[in-house]
Amino acid sequence: MAEHIAVLANPFAGKGRGARSAEVAIGHLRARGAEVQVFIGRSAADTARLAVAALADGPRALVVVGGDGTLAGILDTVCEGSVPVVLVAAGTGNDLARALGLPRGDSAAAAELAVTGVPRSIDVGMIRTADGTRRFLTVAALGFDAKVSDRTNRLRWPHGALRYYLALLVELARLRPMDFTLAIDGDAPGRQPGTLIAVGSTASYGGGMPICVGAVPDDGLLDIVHVAPLGRLRLLRLFPLLLRGTHLVRQEVTHRRARTVTVSAPGLVVYADGERIGEHECTLSVLPGALTLMVPEAKHD
């Protein structure tokens, strides 16, 4: 393995914050005396191609500057390699960095993990749909929350956070229970109507909403959270609990851990790591310890 560090950056992450974060990370590593090779992705396809090139010379670490979606888009490449990944969180949500205690808002501190961090192997999720199979890092959303994301992406106006809130209002007006069918760890499929299902190997999505509170990223299991059918007012009352991570005690919320789950429903939309994955039916499973990241060394009192 070579002594250089490869930096793969998405300059468009975090509405343009990726470019500045990459500049700071590269400058910090060079100031630390590291030989740095830089790869700048101009699109998702370009970033995926450059990930292969960045790993070809066997760097001692691959520094990925971008959001959860940037890293998720190259999972096939980095999971198959033996090079540890350093994530410089520069996205809008940064839920993986939150789960692993990585620096957020400090690109130099995040890049420093390429030099002083310790390796930690974490689980990676796998989603199989009619469109194919894809790995994911954080939480897969199925139901109301996925429909809000889908609506947000299809709206062309307004811009920013207002577009999300408009999508939320539209989907609240259209709210109907979903006729979910679930099969967990090989059990017989059973109908479990609900408002949403979230399946995660980490706790949060959407920039810190701990829907799968208590999820452990390296326990070899997926956390499955199912919210029963709710009307608009009850769903709105549940949102503050979701934001605080206190929703699992509610009788309308069930939580279990499993290795595989198949979910289907008419009108089902599947999102993971903020990206649309498929529809109608999906099977989610876990790849234990499939990705190694550099994380801060644990502090002992």
Side-chain angles (χ1 to χ4, degrees):
M1 184 170 289
E3 282 303 307
H4 74 276
I5 294 171
V7 175
L8 176 60
N10 173 8
F12 308 108
K15 300 177 181 177
R17 287 194 299 272
R20 174 59 182 160
S21 294
E23 182 181 332
V24 171
I26 293 164
H28 177 80
L29 290 171
R30 286 179 172 156
R32 294 280 276 133
E35 178 190 345
V36 180
Q37 292 186 3
V38 180
F39 302 82
I40 306 294
R42 300 299 176 184
S43 66
D46 191 35
T47 300
R49 178 185 63 81
L50 289 174
V52 176
L55 294 180
D57 292 334
R60 59 180 168 138
L62 174 66
V63 177
V64 177
V65 183
D68 294 338
T70 303
L71 181 53
I74 61 170
L75 277 177
D76 287 347
T77 298
V78 294
C79 286
E80 307 251 341
S82 58
V83 176
V85 172
V86 177
L87 178 61
V88 176
T92 54
N94 300 323
D95 288 292
L96 183 63
R98 186 176 282 103
L100 299 177
L102 305 179
R104 288 178 286 134
D106 188 340
S107 300
E112 173 67 18
L113 294 175
V115 181
T116 60
V118 296
R120 180 179 179 182
S121 295
I122 66 167
D123 304 334
V124 170
M126 182 81 80
I127 305 177
R128 186 175 72 248
T129 70
D131 297 325
T133 301
R134 177 164 171 172
R135 290 175 167 96
F136 71 101
L137 285 166
T138 56
V139 177
L142 306 92
F144 177 78
D145 45 358
K147 289 187 175 186
V148 172
S149 295
D150 212 37
R151 177 74 59 180
T152 302
N153 290 339
R154 284 188 280 128
L155 289 173
R156 293 292 172 260
W157 179 94
H159 299 291
L162 288 177
R163 185 167 61 171
Y164 173 82
Y165 293 129
L166 177 58
L168 180 64
L169 290 173
V170 171
E171 291 304 323
L172 270 174
R174 296 165 57 92
L175 181 66
R176 299 289 185 276
M178 296 199 65
D179 191 17
F180 292 120
T181 296
L182 276 73
I184 297 177
D185 280 349
D187 291 347
R191 287 186 62 243
Q192 295 188 39
T195 301
L196 65 86
I197 293 173
V199 181
S201 61
T202 61
S204 69
Y205 64 179
M209 183 182 291
I211 183 73
C212 295
V213 61
V216 178
D218 54 6
D219 64 354
L221 296 170
L222 294 169
D223 282 54
I224 304 166
V225 174
H226 176 278
V227 178
L230 298 177
R232 297 179 186 88
L233 288 178
R234 289 184 68 193
L235 180 58
L236 287 172
R237 290 193 196 105
L238 186 65
F239 265 107
L241 304 183
L242 289 171
L243 291 171
R244 294 196 298 268
T246 57
H247 55 288
L248 297 186
V249 299
R250 301 287 299 184
Q251 64 179 13
E252 62 266 40
V253 180
T254 58
H255 171 228
R256 66 178 295 181
R257 292 186 171 99
R259 289 181 172 81
T260 65
V261 56
T262 297
V263 182
S264 62
L268 180 71
V269 177
V270 183
Y271 266 72
D273 297 330
E275 302 291 332
R276 196 181 202 275
I277 306 297
E279 55 190 20
H280 304 314
E281 180 175 311
C282 64
T283 296
L284 303 104
S285 56
V286 62
L287 303 171
L291 176 65
T292 299
L293 290 107
M294 302 300 285
V295 301
E297 187 171 6
K299 294 180 180 179
H300 302 285
D301 295 331

